[in-house]
Amino acid sequence: DLASSAIDVSDGLVADLGHILQASGVGARILLDAIPLSPIYRDHLADAGWQCALAGGDDYELCITVPPAHVAAVDALSKRMKFSLTRIGEINAGSALEIYDDAGRRYLPEARGHDHFAPK
């Protein structure tokens, strides 16, 4: 009763969050530096870049959206259940996913992720 949507990040964060946004008729703003990365990936981020973190799949993670009124309850639940959640951005009234770096510059990913319906 707390989350308004959820999706597994199996086809890439950008693609899968995009499904939520499209189905809900909203936009989102996410911050690159808020996206959880493994310590090894973060150590090699300068060389590896953000593309794999944004569009790579099979992450075995969930992307959920939570109305502002339920954020505290979700945070409390995650502590009680001993699982971690990471807030990476906000849903907004727009119609697109916007990604920003820590300097406030917009980041445009090269690819969105896996598309099951794309022509071969």
Side-chain angles (χ1 to χ4, degrees), residues 6-9 31 50 58 60-61 75 86 93 95 99 107 117 119:
I7 192 166
D8 66 284
V9 182
L31 304 173
W50 284 101
D58 294 325
Y60 307 105
E61 297 285 343
D75 287 343
T86 305
S95 60
I99 304 168
Y107 178 86
F117 302 104

Side-chain angles (χ1 to χ4, degrees), residues 56-99:
D58 294 325
D59 287 336
Y60 307 105
E61 297 285 343
L62 295 176
C63 177
I64 66 171
T65 61
V66 176
H70 295 163
V71 169
V74 169
D75 287 343
L77 177 65
S78 73
K79 287 178 184 158
R80 190 170 71 245
M81 301 298 290
K82 297 183 175 142
F83 64 88
S84 63
L85 293 175
T86 305
R87 190 171 301 135
I88 63 169
E90 302 181 320
I91 300 298
N92 59 44
S95 60
L97 173 59
E98 296 177 340
I99 304 168

Side-chain angles (χ1 to χ4, degrees), residues 32-48:
L32 286 174
D33 287 341
I35 297 171
L37 302 174
S38 71
I40 292 172
Y41 193 103
R42 191 159 298 277
D43 287 346
H44 296 281
L45 187 58
D47 296 322

